[in-house]
Amino acid sequence: MEMKKGKNKDNTRHFSLLARVKSALHNEAASFIIGLMLVLFSVYLLLAFVSFFFTGAADQSILDSGNSNDLVAVDNGVHNYAGSRGAQLANYLINNCFGLASFFILVFLTMTGLKLMKVRQVHLWRWFIGCSLLLIWFSIFFGFAFTSLYADSFIYLGGMHGYNVSRWLESQIGAPGVWMLLLATAVCFFIYLSARTVSWLQNVFSLKFLKKKEFKRQEKEKKESLSDTGDNESKEREGTGFVTPQPEKEKKSEDKDDEPENSVELGDSLSPERSTDDVSMVVEIPESEPMDKPEQAPEVPDELTFQVEANEDEEYNGKNLEPYNPRLDLENYHFPTLDLMKHYEDNGPTVGMEELNAKKDKIVNTLRSFGIEISSIKATVGPTVTLYEITPEQGVRISKIRGLEDDIALNLSALGIRIIAPIPGKGTIGIEVPNEKPKIVSGQSIIGSKKFQESTYDLPIALGKTITNEVFMVDLAKMPHILVAGATGQGKSVGLNAIITSLLYKKHPSELKFVLVDPKKVEFSIYSVIEHHFLAKLPDESDPIITDVTKVVQTLNSLCVEMDTRYDLLKAAHVRNVKEYNEKFINRQLNPEKGHRYMPYIVVVIDEFGDLIMTAGRDVELPIARIAQLARAVGIHMIIATQRPTTNIITGTIKANFPARIAFRVSQMVDSRTILDRPGANQLIGKGDMLFLQGADPVRVQCAFIDTPEVVEITKYIAHQQGYPTAFYLPEYVDENTGSDLGDVDLGRKDPLFEDAARLIVTHQQGSTSLIQRKFSIGYNRAGRLMDQLEKAGVVGPAQGSKPRDVYFTDIVSLEDFLKTL
């Protein structure tokens, strides 16, 4: 026992030491100091290494003597610029270890230091693997290639490592085998660096470059012969005084003779006009090239290769780059941990057998008193509700059981009895009865569940647990919008916290942005601290949480502009949704210089939607309906919540575009019908008890309880990490009914970026302030002034609401001529 305790203490100390090291590395000041020390140490080693090449011969006798007293002495006679310790390190690493390849150690130390100082964002594991492989490879290469110098020079180019390993390899596979091994490992390393190496090697081994040279030579000879023939014909025509059309006809007939036979057969079945087109297309197919004309064989594949490169001009430039990683901007971001959430003790079911048997007997007796016999009954205990599944005897009408809801509730003395008759997919009838001691479904148990942690959903939302105690999850990207409704104090705000928290635990800041609308000004204020990580807003807004109704209208219309812009990018990329678009962008198949960019998901959460409808009315409803109808494909999703589920708030337009509904407890059946198109929400017991509807039948779920202090800890954890310089800026929106006043715009005092901005707008044919902001990295106000100057100068037209401005110049040449006149 004492030995075990001693081991436990040692393990505890070990873990506490690791914890201190991790906390020190997470501390920005400590991380910077450590990184600076590594950079300075690598510079010191560089000085020692370089000096070793010039002073190593003079210092060799002192270093080989092995007398530490001589090295410690002030007048030790060491000539190395880095002193005796630098000379020792250089001699050890270069001669005794890896030779000249030791410089890769300095490279890795420098990159590690720069990363800790947050000067450069690099993949340390990638640099470690690369530098280690190069260290070993070059050590063996120098040791093998320059073995003869080991006896004559004081510097061992490959070090003792390279010398010994190369000698052993030579004894095993011979000198030719060593050269082939070095070549093979070098090729593998280049393939590891870039997959483009494979295609380059394929071109080399296929001798394609020789074929291209031969083809170019033949093309040049053909052009020269054609030009000579044309000159001779023109001279003959000039001499005779008239033009003979016969040679042209003969040329056409010769061209026709050169066509393959299958192209002629296709043309015979078509009209004369159409046959010519179809034949020319068939000629481009390599398989249809006739075998008796080998001299034209190189021409067809090279033409096809040229056409493919022309069609993929936008994709070609990025093929030699590694895939784009949107997380690199915040490479050191750490997802929230589970210990930030409150832990509740889970001691199993809170319903004992006595309670189950007592309620079973009451249900059976109540049904029997109305002449309804049942053949079997089964109970499924959930966190807050128990489901009793009964199988009625033959001949019992289901409608008769459905009408006994109030009588069963009376006999059980329970609130919120709900009858499901029949249970979908089963031949039974369900009676949901609240438990006397409901259990709290903690957010930690839901977020920490294996189902959520291993989820591959694009936008996973863990709502809570079902009656069968299973974690209930949905994918917001497939829903694609949610309507949340319920009376005051029934768990609506906690449900919104569960939705937002689920996404914060699963998505990186580069992959997701929130637009939070809070007319009550108090519900979402706790999320304002993660502005530079997850929030999106208008460029000229100071508050990341939108509370002003007029700003809500502008934001929603701005989202419509963003939606239209994203659809234009999807159209240009020839994809159907944002997931396919981002995959192409990550694989470097889209050119950022042509406006393409990585698109994060945008989730719009509106609390108390009823207040917005009452104050703004149709101005709010129209953009919401438009976003709900179209924005799914471009990754924009909406969640709206209200505590007044009436028909004047949840209109037919809203219901039609929000197929997923979450209903918490309401007081009246008419409100339940407004939300779910059926009763049921009025029979819930409150405190997070809800019905989720997507499709035919609602599912009863106990919502996960995530309290405000837990959200505060989660957002504080995120906010303390490095974020983006600003929030995610939505595009500008100018109301078409309020024209801009250009009277104060003075073209005599143009912005220094005026001409560059004009060229940018004309090149992209897109009159957008956000484009100017993004390309020149300037603020919204300056970009707006630039756009006003461009409008007054006549480069762009006036603002047209959600539509982009008209661009009055179609090419750079005409613009440059215009700019000279200003």
Side-chain angles (χ1 to χ4, degrees):
M1 291 293 292
E2 292 180 358
M3 292 178 64
K4 288 184 179 179
K5 287 181 180 179
K7 289 182 179 179
N8 290 336
K9 287 182 179 178
D10 292 339
N11 292 334
T12 304
R13 291 170 186 164
H14 176 67
F15 287 125
S16 63
L17 179 62
L18 286 176
R20 290 195 193 100
V21 173
K22 288 182 179 179
S23 62
L25 290 177
H26 286 310
N27 184 284
E28 188 170 357
S31 177
F32 183 87
I33 292 173
I34 295 172
L36 181 62
M37 292 298 179
L38 285 177
V39 172
L40 294 176
F41 181 64
S42 61
V43 173
Y44 174 76
L45 284 180
L46 178 63
L47 178 65
F49 284 8
V50 174
S51 179
F52 182 73
F53 290 104
F54 302 100
T55 62
D59 296 339
Q60 201 67 32
S61 59
I62 301 175
L63 295 174
D64 291 343
S65 66
N67 191 342
S68 58
N69 293 328
D70 293 340
L71 294 174
V72 173
V74 176
D75 53 347
N76 50 34
V78 174
H79 294 79
N80 194 295
Y81 294 154
S84 59
R85 300 307 170 191
Q88 279 185 302
L89 285 172
N91 182 63
Y92 175 76
L93 290 175
I94 294 178
N95 281 347
N96 297 340
C97 291
F98 302 106
L100 295 181
S102 299
F103 280 93
F104 289 108
I105 298 176
L106 311 187
V107 174
F108 177 71
L109 288 176
T110 302
M111 299 311 298
T112 304
L114 293 177
K115 180 180 175 63
L116 290 175
M117 294 169 66
K118 297 183 179 179
V119 175
R120 290 194 62 181
Q121 299 295 331
V122 295
H123 288 290
L124 273 188
W125 273 112
R126 190 177 180 90
W127 278 91
F128 175 76
I129 294 172
C131 290
S132 300
L133 293 175
L134 290 172
L135 180 74
I136 296 170
W137 192 91
F138 275 101
S139 175
I140 297 173
F141 171 76
F142 285 126
F144 176 67
F146 301 99
T147 305
S148 59
L149 298 179
Y150 274 66
D152 301 330
S153 175
F154 71 92
I155 295 179
Y156 303 156
L157 297 183
M160 295 308 298
H161 166 267
Y163 177 75
N164 292 327
V165 173
S166 62
R167 286 194 63 191
W168 180 81
L169 287 174
E170 188 175 1
S171 68
Q172 301 298 312
I173 59 178
V178 176
W179 283 116
M180 286 187 282
L181 179 63
L182 289 171
L183 178 62
T185 51
V187 170
C188 293
F189 179 74
F190 281 114
I191 292 175
Y192 166 75
L193 290 181
S194 174
R196 184 125 181 105
T197 307
V198 177
S199 60
W200 182 81
L201 290 173
Q202 289 172 343
N203 292 334
V204 171
F205 285 113
S206 65
L207 303 179
K208 190 173 182 180
F209 61 96
L210 296 178
K211 294 179 181 179
K212 285 187 176 181
K213 288 182 179 179
E214 179 65 18
F215 171 68
K216 289 179 180 179
R217 186 184 63 79
Q218 293 179 0
E219 281 290 306
K220 186 177 181 180
E221 291 178 356
K222 185 184 292 185
K223 288 179 181 179
E224 290 177 354
S225 62
L226 287 174
S227 61
D228 294 340
T229 304
D231 292 341
N232 294 332
E233 289 178 355
S234 60
K235 289 178 181 179
E236 292 176 1
R237 291 170 188 168
E238 290 174 2
T240 55
F242 63 90
V243 179
T244 305
Q246 186 64 27
E248 185 66 26
K249 292 182 179 180
E250 290 177 359
K251 185 177 184 301
K252 289 184 179 180
S253 64
E254 289 174 4
D255 291 343
K256 193 171 184 179
D257 291 339
D258 290 341
E259 294 170 355
E261 296 179 0
N262 61 348
S263 65
V264 177
E265 293 174 4
L266 287 172
D268 291 341
S269 62
L270 302 172
S271 63
E273 296 178 358
R274 290 282 299 174
S275 64
T276 304
D277 294 338
D278 286 356
V279 169
S280 64
M281 292 176 65
V282 175
V283 169
E284 294 182 355
I285 302 177
E287 290 78 8
S288 64
E289 188 66 27
M291 296 301 294
D292 57 346
K293 297 187 178 182
E295 68 276 4
Q296 292 189 10
E299 180 177 353
V300 173
D302 279 317
E303 284 185 356
L304 286 176
T305 303
F306 175 77
Q307 289 181 355
V308 171
E309 289 178 359
N311 290 336
E312 296 182 0
D313 179 55
E314 190 175 0
E315 305 174 6
Y316 181 76
N317 293 333
K319 284 185 176 179
N320 57 346
L321 301 174
E322 64 179 13
Y324 173 76
N325 185 2
R327 297 187 177 187
L328 275 183
D329 290 339
L330 299 180
E331 185 183 9
N332 298 320
Y333 176 80
H334 297 281
F335 288 86
T337 56
L338 289 176
D339 57 2
L340 299 171
M341 308 179 78
K342 188 176 180 180
H343 175 70
Y344 293 86
E345 292 295 334
D346 186 2
N347 297 321
T350 57
V351 180
M353 287 303 300
E354 294 183 1
E355 181 181 343
L356 290 175
N357 288 325
K359 290 184 177 179
K360 178 206 66 170
D361 294 337
K362 290 181 180 179
I363 291 173
V364 172
N365 293 332
T366 302
L367 295 175
R368 187 171 291 164
S369 65
F370 288 94
I372 299 172
E373 295 292 334
I374 59 175
S375 58
S376 64
I377 185 168
K378 183 179 73 171
T380 304
V381 179
T384 56
V385 176
T386 299
L387 173 66
Y388 294 87
E389 294 184 52
I390 62 174
T391 305
E393 291 285 359
Q394 201 73 18
V396 176
R397 296 172 63 90
I398 294 179
S399 59
K400 189 175 182 181
I401 299 177
R402 192 183 290 120
L404 298 176
E405 200 167 59
D406 294 335
D407 298 283
I408 297 174
L410 177 64
N411 288 337
L412 291 175
S413 302
L415 175 67
I417 297 293
R418 180 169 170 262
I419 293 181
I420 310 171
I423 297 177
K426 296 183 180 180
T428 58
I429 296 173
I431 302 177
E432 296 175 349
V433 182
N435 299 334
E436 293 180 2
K437 295 180 179 179
K439 184 194 302 183
I440 294 177
V441 177
S442 67
Q444 188 186 62
S445 65
I446 302 299
I447 301 296
S449 66
K450 184 179 180 181
K451 185 176 182 180
F452 181 80
Q453 294 295 327
E454 297 179 356
S455 170
T456 57
Y457 290 163
D458 293 323
L459 292 175
I461 294 175
L463 291 174
K465 287 187 177 181
T466 62
I467 289 179
T468 57
N469 266 317
E470 295 180 357
V471 174
F472 185 77
M473 283 183 56
V474 292
D475 187 359
L476 179 60
K478 294 182 179 178
M479 296 169 68
H481 313 288
I482 309 177
L483 171 64
V484 183
T488 304
Q490 302 304 317
K492 179 170 52 63
S493 297
V494 175
L496 293 179
N497 283 342
I499 292 173
I500 297 174
T501 303
S502 299
L503 296 173
L504 292 178
Y505 265 89
K506 204 68 174 175
K507 305 302 289 184
H508 189 271
S510 63
E511 302 165 343
L512 173 67
K513 301 297 176 184
F514 287 100
V515 175
L516 301 181
V517 179
D518 182 15
K520 292 191 292 187
K521 305 181 180 181
V522 293
E523 292 294 339
F524 292 151
S525 59
I526 52 178
Y527 295 102
S528 61
V529 295
I530 58 173
E531 173 185 356
H532 292 182
H533 296 83
F534 282 100
L535 299 189
K537 65 176 185 178
L538 293 172
D540 56 346
E541 282 297 306
S542 58
D543 191 357
I545 310 298
I546 306 164
T547 57
D548 188 0
V549 175
T550 59
K551 297 297 183 181
V552 173
V553 177
Q554 291 182 16
T555 303
L556 292 174
N557 284 300
S558 174
L559 286 168
C560 291
V561 177
E562 174 71 12
M563 179 181 69
D564 294 336
T565 302
R566 289 190 172 199
Y567 266 112
D568 291 338
L569 293 176
L570 261 61
K571 178 183 176 183
H574 305 292
V575 294
R576 299 180 62 184
N577 55 56
V578 68
K579 190 174 182 179
E580 295 176 3
Y581 178 91
N582 283 339
E583 286 178 359
K584 292 191 75 172
F585 190 86
I586 288 172
N587 294 324
R588 304 286 186 179
Q589 296 174 354
L590 300 174
N591 190 350
E593 294 183 358
K594 295 192 175 181
H596 291 292
R597 53 188 168 88
Y598 182 83
M599 296 184 191
Y601 287 99
I602 298 178
V603 177
V604 186
V605 186
I606 302 177
D607 190 25
E608 200 39 66
F609 175 67
D611 185 66
L612 293 181
I613 289 293
M614 292 179 63
T615 53
R618 194 165 179 81
D619 291 338
V620 168
E621 186 177 0
L622 283 178
I624 285 179
R626 187 163 183 263
I627 293 170
Q629 288 171 351
L630 299 173
R632 172 181 182 174
V634 294
I636 301 176
H637 305 276
M638 298 196 73
I639 302 169
I640 62 175
T642 181
Q643 62 182 3
R644 292 195 294 272
T646 56
T647 53
N648 62 330
I649 302 297
I650 305 177
T651 61
T653 304
I654 295 297
K655 290 179 64 176
N657 293 299
F658 284 77
R661 322 269 177 80
I662 294 178
F664 292 91
R665 175 177 166 81
V666 294
S667 56
Q668 300 177 2
M669 184 185 294
V670 65
D671 294 337
S672 177
R673 291 189 181 277
T674 302
I675 308 168
L676 303 173
D677 298 321
R678 69 196 72 198
N682 55 310
Q683 297 163 328
L684 300 174
I685 60 174
K687 296 182 180 179
D689 189 18
M690 71 182 198
L691 291 174
F692 176 83
L693 176 66
Q694 186 183 18
D697 300 294
V699 180
R700 193 165 186 174
V701 179
Q702 178 61 39
C703 183
F705 180 68
I706 302 178
D707 204 3
T708 301
E710 297 177 73
V711 178
V712 170
E713 290 298 318
I714 295 169
T715 54
K716 188 188 300 183
Y717 180 87
I718 296 173
H720 284 170
Q721 301 186 54
Q722 181 184 2
Y724 294 100
T726 63
F728 182 83
Y729 283 148
L730 298 173
E732 65 166 338
Y733 172 78
V734 180
D735 192 351
E736 58 184 357
N737 297 323
T738 59
S740 59
D741 184 15
L742 300 178
D744 297 334
V745 178
D746 183 10
L747 290 181
R749 302 174 60 186
K750 295 191 295 292
D751 191 283
L753 292 175
F754 175 81
E755 293 188 359
D756 292 334
R759 295 185 186 99
L760 176 70
I761 293 296
V762 173
T763 300
H764 289 269
Q765 288 293 300
Q766 180 183 350
S768 169
T769 303
S770 58
L771 176 64
I772 297 176
Q773 269 187 277
R774 190 168 63 250
K775 290 297 182 180
F776 296 117
S777 300
I778 59 177
Y780 177 79
N781 294 331
R782 185 181 178 187
R785 288 194 298 270
L786 269 169
M787 188 60 71
D788 290 339
Q789 292 178 359
L790 292 171
E791 180 183 349
K792 188 164 186 178
V795 178
V796 298
Q800 305 180 67
S802 61
K803 297 180 181 179
R805 295 171 180 256
D806 294 329
V807 181
Y808 292 149
F809 291 86
T810 58
D811 57 83
I812 293 294
V813 176
S814 58
L815 174 67
E816 293 293 345
D817 293 338
F818 172 76
L819 292 177
K820 292 177 182 178
T821 62
L822 289 178

